Amino acid sequence: MGSLRRLAVLDDYQRVAASYADWDALRARGVDVVFFHEHLGDDAARALQGFDAIAAMRERTAFDRAALERLPALRLLVTTGMANASIDLAAARERGIVVAGTPGSAAGAPELTWALLLAALRNLPVEDGNARSGAWQQTVGREAEGMTLGIVGLGRIGSRIARYAHAFGMSVAAWSPHLTDERSAAAGAERAATLLELAERADILSLHLRLSDSTRLVVGERELRALGPDGLLVNTARAGLVDTDALVRGLTEGWLGGAALDVFDTEPLPHDHPLASAPRTVLTPHLGYVTSASYEVFYPAIVENVQAFLDGAPIRVLG
């Protein structure tokens, strides 16, 4: 604990972080605050040499054991949100690095999920381009009402998605590894016995599981084929939940109806990635938490965390 010299604020893509918090409160205590506007990627450890405090935006930058070993000066690592699978908490503890989180907004990710779902059903990316080019009404959209929404992961976000679905006149079914009939019923969903059964029943499959060793690639070719040539996959959770190769094959070969995605195995998404040119897709650049309401919580909380560390009493410590 005690003094800190330099704080790196990562992935400030929109160049707005400076306006969302009182960073001068840290500068007054001798902390040099540096904003990084581009994703550092593989260069992160090299670029962050000499920083003893880092503020990471969600899971965009991995701080695994190897990365932490390359950051000998690091003493405080703050992540937005109260969980970050990209940080090796055990390795951080071994190195005496304090890892802390922040609160966030509960509405951002569910609202984007619903926006993607509707955009895919009504072919909005295609028709937006058509309206701008004069190619009038080239597709026939579908209505959510009367469809079955399959929710994978019925936690805080999944339960909110279930409420949205009911408001749109949809039936709701759900599955997760430890979901009970009682929890499912409380959310207004019918529990499916297996993920495959859920995919077979659903018109739309929306993913809201946390990524772990047990859930990695939980949606594979078998589940995507069960969803079918009219089925839609929506993923605003984690790309690692889905077999991306199978997803691309399903879209290009036509045995999967479509995909609406906010998360990708590699971010930012390379322009030549197969998903970038795959048909029947709606793609957004990991915008689930990118709202003014989220930033109004994230960035002031980062300042609070740094101040608490400087005071010798860290708050919101993870792990």
Side-chain angles (χ1 to χ4, degrees), residues 150-154 173-176 195 198 205-209 218-219:
I151 300 176
V152 182
L154 200 58
W175 175 88
S176 66
L195 177 54
L198 183 68
L205 202 63
S206 189
L207 308 187
H208 304 287
L209 281 178
V218 68
V219 178

Side-chain angles (χ1 to χ4, degrees), residues 58-59 80-84 102-113 151-165 174-176 179 183-184 186-187 206-210 236-238 288-289 291 294 297-298:
R58 302 301 296 125
E59 297 174 0
T80 52
M82 290 301 293
N84 190 325
T102 75
S105 170
E111 289 183 3
L112 182 72
T113 299
I151 300 176
V152 182
L154 200 58
R156 178 175 56 89
I157 294 176
S159 295
R160 187 178 290 231
I161 293 298
R163 296 199 298 272
Y164 293 175
W175 175 88
S176 66
L179 182 63
R183 284 177 50 213
S184 190
S206 189
L207 308 187
H208 304 287
L209 281 178
R210 285 190 176 183
T236 58
R238 294 293 181 268
Y289 52 82
T291 69
S294 289
V297 176
F298 282 167

Side-chain angles (χ1 to χ4, degrees), residues 24 70 158 172 196 206 225 259:
D24 286 339
R70 294 181 62 193
V172 180
L196 181 61
S206 189
R225 284 189 179 276

Side-chain angles (χ1 to χ4, degrees), residues 125-139:
V126 172
E127 293 296 6
D128 176 85
N130 288 339
R132 296 171 190 276
S133 67
W136 206 249
Q137 292 191 15
Q138 299 294 303
T139 68

